[in-house]
Amino acid sequence: MKCIVVDDDPIQREAIKSCISKVSDLELVGVYPNAIEARIALQKREVDLIFLDVEMPEMSGIEFLASFKEVPQVIMVTAKKHYAFEAFEYDVTDYISKPIDMDRFSSAVQRARYYEENLKKQEIENSLFIKSDGVLVKLSVDDISFVEALGDYIKVVTDDKRYIVHSTMKAFVAKLPENFLRVHKSHIINLDKIQKLEENTVFLAGQEIPVSRNNKKILIDRISDSN
């Protein structure tokens, strides 16, 4: 995994670099003393994992995360434990307290590695992984009935369960196959799950989903093509 370090403390940067050097499948591709430089760098290169400090001048680690719609996996590394809850609100992979313990560091990297491997598997299998309430859940794409936007979160609905996920609709729809359609700015539906269509409403999973005027013709065409 290609990784970067973002920390304003030079001693801590060296400590993290030392830990990274002891993990064979981590490739350090950048070290940055502040979040602004790191943000600029991420616009130019692909990174799998970020080791990120919280308290930094000009832009904190939390502000850094909030500035992205999509961000690579993040392992927070900080001396302030009270930031843990806020960090996980931004769906970080793990949270390590300073001073860094190598065993704890290895455990965090293992979690990131597991997540990365499962993301690759979902490209082969008809499934995807979502993180809901801090737990990685594997879903069959065919089981998803619809997805609803909830501000900075989305609700993924199956026949019998609901999952709240920290993601944008744009990022999530990119993971879905062609039998899914965005029928409204707040809703993506599985065309195979449609029970009936009435006026500007589609029914599936026992729910009434609004259909925008612009998307209604597209929806009817897609349904007709599948029959």
Side-chain angles (χ1 to χ4, degrees), residues 4-38:
I4 63 172
V5 175
V6 187
D7 198 313
D8 64 318
D9 187 330
I11 295 176
Q12 293 300 329
R13 289 199 299 271
E14 290 301 317
I16 300 171
K17 285 170 61 179
S18 176
C19 290
I20 291 172
S21 69
K22 298 174 183 177
V23 181
S24 60
D25 62 344
L26 287 182
E27 179 186 356
L28 182 61
V29 296
V31 179
Y32 304 97
N34 59 71
I36 294 175
E37 289 186 27

Side-chain angles (χ1 to χ4, degrees), residues 145-161:
S145 295
F146 67 89
V147 182
E148 180 180 356
L150 299 172
D152 293 332
Y153 294 80
I154 59 170
K155 178 169 66 175
V156 181
V157 179
T158 67
D159 290 336
D160 56 359
K161 290 188 179 181

